[in-house]
């Protein structure tokens, strides 16, 4: 136990309470960093963000309760102050329930929570007919209307924080991708020794011997084994070289050992298939274009032949 010199026991207890509070803040910071408590921290941020709305909601509730308390004191509290009502297991006088405004406000707060409201309503209805309708209206206004506004404010705060967190994550991901793209393009330019804006197999193999480049690829979670095989995978058109787009996008998609053998190969297979389909479509277009040209030529020949035979038919 830590006790400061010259302090009394009460002062030492207060000092220790402050230390525990500071330690609690440190624990809260640790919990914030743990991904396991991400949802919990999201709820806390949502509650903090909705404090302003909650404050004004409770101000509105206080005004409503105060107004109904004045009416309750005037209608029941003062005229019927000596009567006894059975509320649950207790017997309370009307004066204890609503003899003055503060007591009436506490009773109305209890009604708002629907705790024993039926006993209070029935008991006061016998003393002042019609007061139960006021209680029903009060509960409808506070419990079913204003309190739902409180819930809506909290939910809106949490959802807003969730959107903000997602937006921040997307922004950070986009910024990281931009930085990665710039870094990979710099590697491409460094490897392109002849400056022809394409990377040959020899240039790619040579750049992998650079320790600085391999260190950067390791930061991208590209292992040396994957880096050695990456050229064959990315060269889906078998051209023997890579352009900047193929190299950068391929390295970005190759991050992580788990995705290296599946996603990137699938992507390159799709690109190969797309290239084959494009070639097939081009061949079909050329074929039909040639056929159309032949048909047009045949029609022209027939038209000329018919036109040439026309004067001969007239001479006979």
């Amino acid at each position: 136990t830590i006790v400061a010199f010259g302090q009394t026991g009460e002062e030492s207890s207060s000092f220790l309470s402050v230390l525990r509070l500071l330690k609690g803040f440190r624990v809260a910071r640790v919990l914030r960093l743990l991904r396991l408590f991400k949802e919990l921290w999201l709820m806390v941020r949502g509650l903090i963000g909705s404090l302003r709305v909650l404050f004004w909601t409770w101000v509105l509730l206080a005004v409503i309760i105060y107004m109904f308390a004045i009416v309750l004191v005037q209608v029941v509290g003062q005229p019927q102050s000596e009567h006894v009502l059975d509320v649950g297991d207790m017997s309370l006088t009307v004066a204890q329930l609503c003899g003055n405004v503060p007591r009436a406000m506490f009773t109305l707060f209890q009604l708002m929570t629907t705790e024993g409201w039926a006993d209070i309503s029935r008991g006061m209805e016998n003393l002042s007919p019609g007061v139960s309708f006021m209680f029903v209206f009060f509960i409808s206004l506070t419990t079913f209307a204003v309190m739902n506004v409180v819930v809506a404010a909290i939910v809106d705060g949490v959802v807003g924080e969730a959107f903000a967190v997602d937006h921040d994550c997307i922004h950070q991901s986009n910024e990281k991708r931009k930085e990665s793209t710039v870094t990979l393009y710099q590697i491409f330019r460094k490897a392109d020794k002849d400056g022809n804006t394409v990377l040959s197999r020899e240039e790619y193999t040579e750049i992998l011997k650079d320790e600085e480049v391999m260190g950067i690829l390791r930061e991208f979670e590209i292992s040396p084994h994957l880096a050695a095989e990456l050229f064959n995978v990315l060269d889906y058109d078998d051209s023997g070289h890579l352009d900047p787009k193929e190299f950068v996008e391929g390295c970005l998609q190759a991050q992580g050992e788990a995705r290296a053998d599946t996603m990137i190969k699938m992507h390159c297979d799709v690109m190969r298939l797309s290239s084959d389909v494009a070639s097939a479509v081009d061949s079909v277009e050329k074929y039909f274009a040639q056929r159309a040209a032949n048909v047009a030529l045949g029609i022209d020949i027939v038209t000329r032949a018919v036109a040439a035979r026309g004067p001969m038919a007239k001479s006979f």
Side-chain angles (χ1 to χ4, degrees), residues 179-189 216-217 220 222 247-252 255:
E179 294 177 359
S180 301
T181 301
V182 172
T183 302
L184 292 172
Y185 183 70
Q186 290 175 350
I187 293 177
F188 180 89
R189 293 188 60 184
I216 296 174
L217 294 180
F220 283 95
I222 300 177
F247 177 77
V248 173
E249 291 186 355
C251 290
L252 290 176
Q255 296 182 33

Side-chain angles (χ1 to χ4, degrees), residues 43-312:
M43 292 178 61
V44 172
R45 289 183 60 181
L47 288 173
I48 295 174
S50 59
L51 284 179
R52 180 178 298 179
V53 178
L54 292 177
F55 171 75
W56 289 111
T57 303
W58 283 108
V59 170
L60 177 61
L61 274 175
V63 172
I64 294 173
I65 292 174
Y66 179 75
M67 294 171 58
F68 276 88
I70 293 175
V71 176
L72 185 61
V73 171
Q74 296 294 327
V75 174
V76 183
Q78 292 180 353
Q80 309 291 342
S81 60
E82 299 300 327
H83 287 80
V84 178
L85 300 179
D86 293 328
V87 181
D89 298 334
M90 298 182 296
S91 296
L92 301 173
T93 63
V94 175
Q96 290 176 311
L97 291 173
C98 54
N100 53 39
V101 173
R103 291 181 179 180
M105 291 181 67
F106 182 80
T107 301
L108 289 172
F109 182 80
Q110 180 182 352
L111 290 176
M112 189 180 67
T113 63
T114 67
E115 178 65 27
W117 81 274
D119 296 335
I120 298 174
S121 177
R122 290 191 180 97
M124 291 190 179
E125 178 69 20
N126 296 329
L127 302 177
S128 179
V131 73
S132 59
F133 292 101
M134 185 187 73
F135 288 152
V136 171
F137 177 68
F138 172 78
I139 293 175
S140 301
L141 182 62
T142 56
T143 304
F144 300 135
V146 180
M147 291 306 296
N148 282 332
V149 173
V150 174
V151 176
I154 296 174
V155 172
D156 181 70
V158 174
V159 172
E161 286 297 328
F163 277 117
V165 170
D166 290 341
H167 182 269
D168 291 341
C169 291
I170 294 174
H171 179 72
Q172 292 176 3
S173 178
N174 291 336
E175 290 297 324
K176 184 178 180 181
R177 185 177 180 86
K178 289 180 181 178
E179 294 177 359
S180 301
T181 301
V182 172
T183 302
L184 292 172
Y185 183 70
Q186 290 175 350
I187 293 177
F188 180 89
R189 293 188 60 184
K190 183 177 181 180
D192 186 20
K193 300 295 185 180
D194 52 7
N196 60 350
T197 68
V198 293
L199 200 62
S200 64
R201 187 182 299 274
E202 292 75 15
E203 292 173 334
Y204 180 82
T205 305
E206 186 66 25
I207 198 61
L208 293 182
K209 299 178 181 179
D210 192 324
E211 291 296 330
E212 181 180 358
V213 172
M214 290 305 300
I216 296 174
L217 294 180
R218 291 190 191 95
E219 293 179 359
F220 283 95
E221 299 180 4
I222 300 177
S223 64
H225 172 72
L226 175 60
E229 298 294 332
L230 195 58
F231 189 93
N232 296 328
V233 177
L234 296 179
D235 187 22
Y236 58 87
D237 54 359
D238 296 327
S239 60
H241 59 264
L242 300 176
D243 58 31
K245 182 178 180 181
E246 292 174 340
F247 177 77
V248 173
E249 291 186 355
C251 290
L252 290 176
Q253 294 178 2
Q255 296 182 33
E257 291 293 336
R259 298 194 303 173
D261 296 332
T262 55
M263 295 299 295
I264 188 172
K265 290 183 179 180
M266 185 181 299
H267 170 75
C268 292
D269 289 339
V270 171
M271 295 300 294
R272 289 192 182 95
L273 181 61
S274 176
S275 178
D276 294 341
V277 171
S279 299
V281 170
D282 185 60
S283 299
V284 170
E285 289 179 350
K286 290 180 179 180
Y287 172 77
F288 280 104
Q290 184 65 35
R291 296 287 294 177
N294 294 336
V295 170
L297 180 61
I299 293 175
D300 184 62
I301 294 174
V302 171
T303 303
R304 290 180 180 180
V306 171
R309 296 183 62 179
M312 295 177 62

